[in-house]
Amino acid sequence: MNTTTSRAATATAAVLAVLLLAGCSDTGTPTAGPSTVPSSTVPITPTPSPGDATQTPSQTPSRTPSQSPSQTPSCVDQKAEALTLREQAAQLIMTGIDAEGMTSAERSIARAQKPGGLLLMGSGGSASHTRTAMSTASMTATVKGIRPFIAADQEGGQIQRLKGSGFDRIPAATVQATWSDEKLTARAKIWGSQLKQANVNLDLAPVADVVPASLGNANAPIGALDRGYGSTPGAVSKHVSAFINGMDAAGVMTSVKHFPGLGRVKGNTDFSSGVVDTVTVRGDDDLAPFAAGIRAGSDMVMVSTVTYTKIDPKNRAVFSPTIIRGMLRGDLGYGGVVITDDVGAAAEVASVPAGQRATRFVAAGGDIVITAKASLTSTMVSALVAKAQQDKEFAADLQSSVRRVLALKQNRGLLSCG
């Protein structure tokens, strides 16, 4: 396939509309979904669809370019066109690196692959040390004037990646939940400022999962680690919004997680496989915190690797067009960047070939693939490239994802034109 022609064709549609494209299921069956709409249309609560947990909205996707051929290409279009297909695919990968500074192997990978994001792993260090390390990492991964996302899991409590000198010890979400919205926003602004000073521009938080009081600590990924803001959608929604507002005030991006919720499972997908949610349905009340986070301006939404049997029993959420295109982009009207939970080292997806973890996510409507294993970066990039060269619809999926990523980078000062 002529990739230059493909990029030019899709570029004309990118400014005014996001293409809705077919996804693929775990069984290889293509599934259609609704087209995306601007995030400004996000409702306060998700649209319920009782009685049919696996239904898809009736909205028909449009593939008709709406931009006038004479219209001046946008900055995002110009940058997208300047990238090779492999460079475009790399923008959709977030690679794990040591928070104390890249190892020689990680540095080689970042220099060769130029991933669109870098995720800090390990125990972290002092603010000054992290700043230096991340400056070097950013320069290594920058391609054609496009800087990478530098991300960390900085929630608080047991989940705080950076906690050395220069970083406050952040209380667990269960403690944050006892504060007023104003206090949480003010404190989150301080935490965000500390990240910003260390050249970290993305916090993979807050957690929007609702853990029922009846399950509590039996919920391994959230409840047992004190990561939850409460046991009711209303309480969680308030704190999710307050946290996002504080981080945004500090100039740090956020990613609300883990859609459509980890609150009702028992297993932790990082260490266990076959984790399922047999309760959550499409239009569930517990989706409200995600809608609230989107409305508050979360820059990304992270999708879990759990299988939701009452929504899409054939696909894990990260590979489900029903969940990503149908529920997140359709029901909640979210038109922004969608990111995976880790699909590099997580036990839940170990049985899925690494390249397919990337291609199936993008085909389902997602954008950024996290791999905690830096060594899988090249495999995932190569798989995206090969799939795009063989499949015109997937090539258009990839183009749409790249433009969403570049648009966010432009909005957040990681991309400039002229």
mmCIF file of all heavy atoms in Angstrom, residues 367-413:
data_model
loop_
_atom_site.group_PDB
_atom_site.id
_atom_site.type_symbol
_atom_site.label_atom_id
_atom_site.label_comp_id
_atom_site.label_asym_id
_atom_site.label_seq_id
_atom_site.Cartn_x
_atom_site.Cartn_y
_atom_site.Cartn_z
ATOM 1 N N ASP A 367 -5.731 4.515 21.246
ATOM 2 C CA ASP A 367 -4.662 5.344 20.702
ATOM 3 C C ASP A 367 -3.262 4.990 21.208
ATOM 4 O O ASP A 367 -2.382 4.694 20.412
ATOM 5 C CB ASP A 367 -4.953 6.825 21.012
ATOM 6 C CG ASP A 367 -6.298 7.274 20.482
ATOM 7 O OD1 ASP A 367 -6.577 7.027 19.297
ATOM 8 O OD2 ASP A 367 -7.092 7.852 21.256
ATOM 9 N N ILE A 368 -3.030 5.041 22.524
ATOM 10 C CA ILE A 368 -1.685 4.854 23.064
ATOM 11 C C ILE A 368 -1.583 3.523 23.807
ATOM 12 O O ILE A 368 -2.393 3.227 24.684
ATOM 13 C CB ILE A 368 -1.295 6.004 24.006
ATOM 14 C CG1 ILE A 368 -1.248 7.324 23.226
ATOM 15 C CG2 ILE A 368 0.056 5.735 24.658
ATOM 16 C CD1 ILE A 368 -0.930 8.521 24.098
ATOM 17 N N VAL A 369 -0.569 2.752 23.457
ATOM 18 C CA VAL A 369 -0.338 1.433 24.044
ATOM 19 C C VAL A 369 0.811 1.529 25.047
ATOM 20 O O VAL A 369 1.913 1.933 24.684
ATOM 21 C CB VAL A 369 0.020 0.409 22.954
ATOM 22 C CG1 VAL A 369 0.265 -0.972 23.569
ATOM 23 C CG2 VAL A 369 -1.076 0.349 21.888
ATOM 24 N N ILE A 370 0.546 1.165 26.293
ATOM 25 C CA ILE A 370 1.600 1.166 27.314
ATOM 26 C C ILE A 370 2.272 -0.201 27.362
ATOM 27 O O ILE A 370 1.604 -1.235 27.478
ATOM 28 C CB ILE A 370 1.039 1.472 28.713
ATOM 29 C CG1 ILE A 370 0.553 2.922 28.788
ATOM 30 C CG2 ILE A 370 2.103 1.230 29.786
ATOM 31 C CD1 ILE A 370 -0.042 3.286 30.145
ATOM 32 N N THR A 371 3.590 -0.207 27.276
ATOM 33 C CA THR A 371 4.350 -1.420 27.533
ATOM 34 C C THR A 371 5.395 -1.145 28.603
ATOM 35 O O THR A 371 6.328 -0.366 28.402
ATOM 36 C CB THR A 371 5.037 -1.982 26.270
ATOM 37 O OG1 THR A 371 5.875 -3.089 26.654
ATOM 38 C CG2 THR A 371 5.861 -0.947 25.526
ATOM 39 N N ALA A 372 5.212 -1.764 29.756
ATOM 40 C CA ALA A 372 6.187 -1.621 30.832
ATOM 41 C C ALA A 372 7.501 -2.288 30.456
ATOM 42 O O ALA A 372 8.548 -1.967 31.017
ATOM 43 C CB ALA A 372 5.639 -2.225 32.128
ATOM 44 N N LYS A 373 7.467 -3.208 29.505
ATOM 45 C CA LYS A 373 8.672 -3.849 28.991
ATOM 46 C C LYS A 373 9.174 -3.055 27.791
ATOM 47 O O LYS A 373 8.612 -3.142 26.702
ATOM 48 C CB LYS A 373 8.386 -5.294 28.568
ATOM 49 C CG LYS A 373 8.204 -6.272 29.706
ATOM 50 C CD LYS A 373 8.061 -7.682 29.155
ATOM 51 C CE LYS A 373 7.938 -8.717 30.271
ATOM 52 N NZ LYS A 373 7.788 -10.085 29.707
ATOM 53 N N ALA A 374 10.239 -2.304 27.988
ATOM 54 C CA ALA A 374 10.785 -1.500 26.889
ATOM 55 C C ALA A 374 11.179 -2.375 25.705
ATOM 56 O O ALA A 374 11.096 -1.953 24.545
ATOM 57 C CB ALA A 374 11.985 -0.705 27.375
ATOM 58 N N SER A 375 11.567 -3.603 25.978
ATOM 59 C CA SER A 375 12.033 -4.506 24.930
ATOM 60 C C SER A 375 10.949 -4.850 23.905
ATOM 61 O O SER A 375 11.257 -5.312 22.807
ATOM 62 C CB SER A 375 12.570 -5.797 25.543
ATOM 63 O OG SER A 375 11.567 -6.458 26.300
ATOM 64 N N LEU A 376 9.685 -4.623 24.243
ATOM 65 C CA LEU A 376 8.595 -4.930 23.319
ATOM 66 C C LEU A 376 8.261 -3.755 22.390
ATOM 67 O O LEU A 376 7.424 -3.891 21.500
ATOM 68 C CB LEU A 376 7.336 -5.315 24.098
ATOM 69 C CG LEU A 376 7.399 -6.604 24.921
ATOM 70 C CD1 LEU A 376 6.069 -6.851 25.625
ATOM 71 C CD2 LEU A 376 7.776 -7.791 24.039
ATOM 72 N N THR A 377 8.902 -2.628 22.584
ATOM 73 C CA THR A 377 8.575 -1.429 21.808
ATOM 74 C C THR A 377 8.705 -1.665 20.314
ATOM 75 O O THR A 377 7.781 -1.384 19.534
ATOM 76 C CB THR A 377 9.476 -0.256 22.233
ATOM 77 O OG1 THR A 377 9.308 -0.013 23.625
ATOM 78 C CG2 THR A 377 9.123 1.004 21.453
ATOM 79 N N SER A 378 9.840 -2.171 19.870
ATOM 80 C CA SER A 378 10.068 -2.383 18.446
ATOM 81 C C SER A 378 9.065 -3.367 17.863
ATOM 82 O O SER A 378 8.547 -3.173 16.752
ATOM 83 C CB SER A 378 11.490 -2.896 18.203
ATOM 84 O OG SER A 378 11.706 -3.148 16.830
ATOM 85 N N THR A 379 8.745 -4.416 18.612
ATOM 86 C CA THR A 379 7.780 -5.417 18.149
ATOM 87 C C THR A 379 6.414 -4.790 17.919
ATOM 88 O O THR A 379 5.755 -5.054 16.903
ATOM 89 C CB THR A 379 7.652 -6.555 19.178
ATOM 90 O OG1 THR A 379 8.912 -7.186 19.334
ATOM 91 C CG2 THR A 379 6.612 -7.577 18.749
ATOM 92 N N MET A 380 5.989 -3.950 18.856
ATOM 93 C CA MET A 380 4.678 -3.314 18.741
ATOM 94 C C MET A 380 4.644 -2.298 17.606
ATOM 95 O O MET A 380 3.669 -2.239 16.837
ATOM 96 C CB MET A 380 4.302 -2.660 20.069
ATOM 97 C CG MET A 380 4.000 -3.663 21.171
ATOM 98 S SD MET A 380 3.529 -2.856 22.722
ATOM 99 C CE MET A 380 2.993 -4.290 23.687
ATOM 100 N N VAL A 381 5.705 -1.512 17.467
ATOM 101 C CA VAL A 381 5.758 -0.539 16.371
ATOM 102 C C VAL A 381 5.730 -1.267 15.028
ATOM 103 O O VAL A 381 4.980 -0.900 14.115
ATOM 104 C CB VAL A 381 7.017 0.348 16.482
ATOM 105 C CG1 VAL A 381 7.161 1.225 15.233
ATOM 106 C CG2 VAL A 381 6.953 1.225 17.722
ATOM 107 N N SER A 382 6.515 -2.311 14.905
ATOM 108 C CA SER A 382 6.571 -3.073 13.648
ATOM 109 C C SER A 382 5.220 -3.692 13.310
ATOM 110 O O SER A 382 4.825 -3.735 12.135
ATOM 111 C CB SER A 382 7.638 -4.167 13.743
ATOM 112 O OG SER A 382 8.929 -3.613 13.874
ATOM 113 N N ALA A 383 4.510 -4.169 14.318
ATOM 114 C CA ALA A 383 3.196 -4.777 14.088
ATOM 115 C C ALA A 383 2.202 -3.736 13.580
ATOM 116 O O ALA A 383 1.404 -4.016 12.672
ATOM 117 C CB ALA A 383 2.685 -5.410 15.378
ATOM 118 N N LEU A 384 2.242 -2.542 14.154
ATOM 119 C CA LEU A 384 1.352 -1.463 13.699
ATOM 120 C C LEU A 384 1.654 -1.097 12.252
ATOM 121 O O LEU A 384 0.741 -0.899 11.436
ATOM 122 C CB LEU A 384 1.503 -0.243 14.601
ATOM 123 C CG LEU A 384 0.964 -0.373 16.028
ATOM 124 C CD1 LEU A 384 1.410 0.813 16.877
ATOM 125 C CD2 LEU A 384 -0.565 -0.479 16.034
ATOM 126 N N VAL A 385 2.928 -1.001 11.920
ATOM 127 C CA VAL A 385 3.328 -0.659 10.552
ATOM 128 C C VAL A 385 2.865 -1.728 9.571
ATOM 129 O O VAL A 385 2.263 -1.438 8.528
ATOM 130 C CB VAL A 385 4.853 -0.476 10.467
ATOM 131 C CG1 VAL A 385 5.302 -0.369 9.005
ATOM 132 C CG2 VAL A 385 5.278 0.762 11.237
ATOM 133 N N ALA A 386 3.132 -2.985 9.891
ATOM 134 C CA ALA A 386 2.771 -4.083 8.991
ATOM 135 C C ALA A 386 1.268 -4.151 8.768
ATOM 136 O O ALA A 386 0.804 -4.338 7.635
ATOM 137 C CB ALA A 386 3.281 -5.409 9.565
ATOM 138 N N LYS A 387 0.512 -3.983 9.847
ATOM 139 C CA LYS A 387 -0.948 -4.021 9.725
ATOM 140 C C LYS A 387 -1.458 -2.874 8.867
ATOM 141 O O LYS A 387 -2.353 -3.055 8.036
ATOM 142 C CB LYS A 387 -1.565 -3.957 11.123
ATOM 143 C CG LYS A 387 -3.094 -4.022 11.159
ATOM 144 C CD LYS A 387 -3.601 -5.403 10.894
ATOM 145 C CE LYS A 387 -5.112 -5.483 11.159
ATOM 146 N NZ LYS A 387 -5.656 -6.818 10.822
ATOM 147 N N ALA A 388 -0.883 -1.691 9.033
ATOM 148 C CA ALA A 388 -1.309 -0.529 8.245
ATOM 149 C C ALA A 388 -0.971 -0.710 6.772
ATOM 150 O O ALA A 388 -1.715 -0.252 5.897
ATOM 151 C CB ALA A 388 -0.652 0.733 8.791
ATOM 152 N N GLN A 389 0.123 -1.357 6.480
ATOM 153 C CA GLN A 389 0.517 -1.587 5.091
ATOM 154 C C GLN A 389 -0.375 -2.613 4.411
ATOM 155 O O GLN A 389 -0.537 -2.581 3.181
ATOM 156 C CB GLN A 389 1.979 -2.047 5.031
ATOM 157 C CG GLN A 389 2.971 -0.959 5.388
ATOM 158 C CD GLN A 389 4.394 -1.470 5.491
ATOM 159 O OE1 GLN A 389 4.623 -2.655 5.812
ATOM 160 N NE2 GLN A 389 5.363 -0.608 5.233
ATOM 161 N N GLN A 390 -0.975 -3.496 5.182
ATOM 162 C CA GLN A 390 -1.792 -4.572 4.632
ATOM 163 C C GLN A 390 -3.290 -4.271 4.632
ATOM 164 O O GLN A 390 -4.050 -4.890 3.883
ATOM 165 C CB GLN A 390 -1.556 -5.855 5.435
ATOM 166 C CG GLN A 390 -0.125 -6.359 5.399
ATOM 167 C CD GLN A 390 0.165 -7.373 6.488
ATOM 168 O OE1 GLN A 390 -0.739 -7.789 7.233
ATOM 169 N NE2 GLN A 390 1.424 -7.789 6.597
ATOM 170 N N ASP A 391 -3.721 -3.325 5.461
ATOM 171 C CA ASP A 391 -5.150 -3.114 5.706
ATOM 172 C C ASP A 391 -5.456 -1.624 5.648
ATOM 173 O O ASP A 391 -5.042 -0.856 6.516
ATOM 174 C CB ASP A 391 -5.499 -3.694 7.078
ATOM 175 C CG ASP A 391 -6.982 -3.653 7.406
ATOM 176 O OD1 ASP A 391 -7.677 -2.737 6.920
ATOM 177 O OD2 ASP A 391 -7.440 -4.515 8.183
ATOM 178 N N LYS A 392 -6.185 -1.189 4.619
ATOM 179 C CA LYS A 392 -6.475 0.235 4.434
ATOM 180 C C LYS A 392 -7.308 0.803 5.574
ATOM 181 O O LYS A 392 -7.096 1.945 5.997
ATOM 182 C CB LYS A 392 -7.202 0.459 3.103
ATOM 183 C CG LYS A 392 -6.339 0.225 1.878
ATOM 184 C CD LYS A 392 -7.114 0.531 0.606
ATOM 185 C CE LYS A 392 -6.231 0.330 -0.626
ATOM 186 N NZ LYS A 392 -6.981 0.617 -1.883
ATOM 187 N N GLU A 393 -8.266 0.037 6.055
ATOM 188 C CA GLU A 393 -9.095 0.533 7.155
ATOM 189 C C GLU A 393 -8.281 0.687 8.423
ATOM 190 O O GLU A 393 -8.435 1.653 9.168
ATOM 191 C CB GLU A 393 -10.302 -0.389 7.373
ATOM 192 C CG GLU A 393 -11.334 -0.291 6.268
ATOM 193 C CD GLU A 393 -12.643 -0.979 6.634
ATOM 194 O OE1 GLU A 393 -12.700 -1.607 7.723
ATOM 195 O OE2 GLU A 393 -13.594 -0.891 5.848
ATOM 196 N N PHE A 394 -7.384 -0.259 8.685
ATOM 197 C CA PHE A 394 -6.537 -0.129 9.856
ATOM 198 C C PHE A 394 -5.593 1.052 9.678
ATOM 199 O O PHE A 394 -5.293 1.769 10.648
ATOM 200 C CB PHE A 394 -5.727 -1.402 10.096
ATOM 201 C CG PHE A 394 -4.860 -1.312 11.322
ATOM 202 C CD1 PHE A 394 -5.403 -1.556 12.575
ATOM 203 C CD2 PHE A 394 -3.524 -0.940 11.233
ATOM 204 C CE1 PHE A 394 -4.627 -1.443 13.724
ATOM 205 C CE2 PHE A 394 -2.735 -0.824 12.376
ATOM 206 C CZ PHE A 394 -3.295 -1.075 13.620
ATOM 207 N N ALA A 395 -5.104 1.284 8.466
ATOM 208 C CA ALA A 395 -4.227 2.427 8.215
ATOM 209 C C ALA A 395 -4.948 3.724 8.571
ATOM 210 O O ALA A 395 -4.351 4.653 9.130
ATOM 211 C CB ALA A 395 -3.785 2.449 6.751
ATOM 212 N N ALA A 396 -6.233 3.780 8.263
ATOM 213 C CA ALA A 396 -7.009 4.969 8.609
ATOM 214 C C ALA A 396 -7.216 5.057 10.117
ATOM 215 O O ALA A 396 -7.201 6.150 10.696
ATOM 216 C CB ALA A 396 -8.359 4.940 7.894
ATOM 217 N N ASP A 397 -7.399 3.915 10.767
ATOM 218 C CA ASP A 397 -7.481 3.887 12.237
ATOM 219 C C ASP A 397 -6.210 4.490 12.832
ATOM 220 O O ASP A 397 -6.259 5.331 13.734
ATOM 221 C CB ASP A 397 -7.587 2.448 12.748
ATOM 222 C CG ASP A 397 -8.951 1.829 12.570
ATOM 223 O OD1 ASP A 397 -9.928 2.563 12.430
ATOM 224 O OD2 ASP A 397 -9.026 0.587 12.577
ATOM 225 N N LEU A 398 -5.075 4.036 12.330
ATOM 226 C CA LEU A 398 -3.796 4.497 12.849
ATOM 227 C C LEU A 398 -3.637 5.992 12.629
ATOM 228 O O LEU A 398 -3.196 6.726 13.522
ATOM 229 C CB LEU A 398 -2.662 3.720 12.174
ATOM 230 C CG LEU A 398 -1.249 3.959 12.715
ATOM 231 C CD1 LEU A 398 -0.433 2.671 12.626
ATOM 232 C CD2 LEU A 398 -0.538 5.065 11.956
ATOM 233 N N GLN A 399 -4.030 6.470 11.453
ATOM 234 C CA GLN A 399 -3.937 7.904 11.161
ATOM 235 C C GLN A 399 -4.787 8.722 12.127
ATOM 236 O O GLN A 399 -4.355 9.765 12.626
ATOM 237 C CB GLN A 399 -4.390 8.170 9.731
ATOM 238 C CG GLN A 399 -3.475 7.612 8.654
ATOM 239 C CD GLN A 399 -2.185 8.411 8.549
ATOM 240 O OE1 GLN A 399 -2.186 9.628 8.650
ATOM 241 N NE2 GLN A 399 -1.084 7.711 8.357
ATOM 242 N N SER A 400 -5.999 8.259 12.401
ATOM 243 C CA SER A 400 -6.872 8.972 13.330
ATOM 244 C C SER A 400 -6.275 9.022 14.728
ATOM 245 O O SER A 400 -6.316 10.046 15.411
ATOM 246 C CB SER A 400 -8.254 8.308 13.381
ATOM 247 O OG SER A 400 -8.914 8.412 12.137
ATOM 248 N N SER A 401 -5.700 7.897 15.162
ATOM 249 C CA SER A 401 -5.077 7.848 16.480
ATOM 250 C C SER A 401 -3.886 8.795 16.562
ATOM 251 O O SER A 401 -3.717 9.520 17.548
ATOM 252 C CB SER A 401 -4.627 6.420 16.796
ATOM 253 O OG SER A 401 -5.739 5.573 16.998
ATOM 254 N N VAL A 402 -3.054 8.799 15.533
ATOM 255 C CA VAL A 402 -1.893 9.689 15.520
ATOM 256 C C VAL A 402 -2.324 11.136 15.630
ATOM 257 O O VAL A 402 -1.737 11.926 16.384
ATOM 258 C CB VAL A 402 -1.062 9.472 14.236
ATOM 259 C CG1 VAL A 402 -0.002 10.569 14.083
ATOM 260 C CG2 VAL A 402 -0.396 8.102 14.265
ATOM 261 N N ARG A 403 -3.361 11.511 14.925
ATOM 262 C CA ARG A 403 -3.814 12.902 14.963
ATOM 263 C C ARG A 403 -4.409 13.275 16.321
ATOM 264 O O ARG A 403 -4.257 14.405 16.778
ATOM 265 C CB ARG A 403 -4.794 13.162 13.823
ATOM 266 C CG ARG A 403 -4.064 13.337 12.502
ATOM 267 C CD ARG A 403 -5.000 13.442 11.311
ATOM 268 N NE ARG A 403 -4.264 13.931 10.157
ATOM 269 C CZ ARG A 403 -3.426 13.204 9.409
ATOM 270 N NH1 ARG A 403 -3.243 11.919 9.714
ATOM 271 N NH2 ARG A 403 -2.773 13.723 8.396
ATOM 272 N N ARG A 404 -5.080 12.331 16.974
ATOM 273 C CA ARG A 404 -5.566 12.628 18.323
ATOM 274 C C ARG A 404 -4.397 12.861 19.274
ATOM 275 O O ARG A 404 -4.428 13.760 20.115
ATOM 276 C CB ARG A 404 -6.456 11.492 18.829
ATOM 277 C CG ARG A 404 -7.892 11.554 18.311
ATOM 278 C CD ARG A 404 -8.794 10.563 19.044
ATOM 279 N NE ARG A 404 -8.519 9.186 18.678
ATOM 280 C CZ ARG A 404 -9.142 8.516 17.720
ATOM 281 N NH1 ARG A 404 -10.070 9.111 16.985
ATOM 282 N NH2 ARG A 404 -8.846 7.247 17.481
ATOM 283 N N VAL A 405 -3.373 12.019 19.147
ATOM 284 C CA VAL A 405 -2.193 12.161 20.005
ATOM 285 C C VAL A 405 -1.480 13.478 19.729
ATOM 286 O O VAL A 405 -1.119 14.218 20.658
ATOM 287 C CB VAL A 405 -1.231 10.970 19.794
ATOM 288 C CG1 VAL A 405 0.112 11.234 20.463
ATOM 289 C CG2 VAL A 405 -1.857 9.688 20.348
ATOM 290 N N LEU A 406 -1.287 13.807 18.453
ATOM 291 C CA LEU A 406 -0.597 15.049 18.102
ATOM 292 C C LEU A 406 -1.410 16.273 18.504
ATOM 293 O O LEU A 406 -0.842 17.306 18.908
ATOM 294 C CB LEU A 406 -0.285 15.082 16.607
ATOM 295 C CG LEU A 406 0.714 14.037 16.092
ATOM 296 C CD1 LEU A 406 0.990 14.237 14.601
ATOM 297 C CD2 LEU A 406 2.010 14.073 16.884
ATOM 298 N N ALA A 407 -2.735 16.186 18.402
ATOM 299 C CA ALA A 407 -3.578 17.314 18.813
ATOM 300 C C ALA A 407 -3.417 17.583 20.303
ATOM 301 O O ALA A 407 -3.334 18.743 20.737
ATOM 302 C CB ALA A 407 -5.036 17.032 18.472
ATOM 303 N N LEU A 408 -3.369 16.516 21.116
ATOM 304 C CA LEU A 408 -3.172 16.695 22.552
ATOM 305 C C LEU A 408 -1.786 17.272 22.829
ATOM 306 O O LEU A 408 -1.630 18.170 23.670
ATOM 307 C CB LEU A 408 -3.347 15.356 23.282
ATOM 308 C CG LEU A 408 -3.066 15.373 24.791
ATOM 309 C CD1 LEU A 408 -3.914 16.420 25.499
ATOM 310 C CD2 LEU A 408 -3.305 13.993 25.399
ATOM 311 N N LYS A 409 -0.784 16.792 22.117
ATOM 312 C CA LYS A 409 0.560 17.325 22.319
ATOM 313 C C LYS A 409 0.637 18.797 21.944
ATOM 314 O O LYS A 409 1.313 19.587 22.615
ATOM 315 C CB LYS A 409 1.572 16.500 21.522
ATOM 316 C CG LYS A 409 1.814 15.112 22.106
ATOM 317 C CD LYS A 409 2.982 14.395 21.458
ATOM 318 C CE LYS A 409 3.295 13.092 22.190
ATOM 319 N NZ LYS A 409 4.484 12.403 21.660
ATOM 320 N N GLN A 410 -0.056 19.173 20.879
ATOM 321 C CA GLN A 410 -0.079 20.590 20.511
ATOM 322 C C GLN A 410 -0.739 21.418 21.613
ATOM 323 O O GLN A 410 -0.229 22.467 22.010
ATOM 324 C CB GLN A 410 -0.813 20.780 19.192
ATOM 325 C CG GLN A 410 -0.835 22.247 18.734
ATOM 326 C CD GLN A 410 -1.677 22.464 17.500
ATOM 327 O OE1 GLN A 410 -2.621 21.723 17.247
ATOM 328 N NE2 GLN A 410 -1.350 23.484 16.730
ATOM 329 N N ASN A 411 -1.860 20.927 22.120
ATOM 330 C CA ASN A 411 -2.578 21.656 23.173
ATOM 331 C C ASN A 411 -1.756 21.801 24.433
ATOM 332 O O ASN A 411 -1.910 22.770 25.184
ATOM 333 C CB ASN A 411 -3.890 20.926 23.503
ATOM 334 C CG ASN A 411 -4.905 21.017 22.385
ATOM 335 O OD1 ASN A 411 -4.805 21.889 21.523
ATOM 336 N ND2 ASN A 411 -5.876 20.112 22.386
ATOM 337 N N ARG A 412 -0.866 20.842 24.685
ATOM 338 C CA ARG A 412 -0.086 20.837 25.917
ATOM 339 C C ARG A 412 1.369 21.280 25.722
ATOM 340 O O ARG A 412 2.210 21.070 26.575
ATOM 341 C CB ARG A 412 -0.131 19.448 26.533
ATOM 342 C CG ARG A 412 -1.484 19.096 27.157
ATOM 343 C CD ARG A 412 -1.826 20.031 28.311
ATOM 344 N NE ARG A 412 -2.962 19.547 29.089
ATOM 345 C CZ ARG A 412 -3.289 20.039 30.273
ATOM 346 N NH1 ARG A 412 -2.579 21.018 30.795
ATOM 347 N NH2 ARG A 412 -4.331 19.570 30.955
ATOM 348 N N GLY A 413 1.653 21.883 24.577
ATOM 349 C CA GLY A 413 2.959 22.468 24.359
ATOM 350 C C GLY A 413 4.071 21.500 24.029
ATOM 351 O O GLY A 413 5.252 21.837 24.157
#
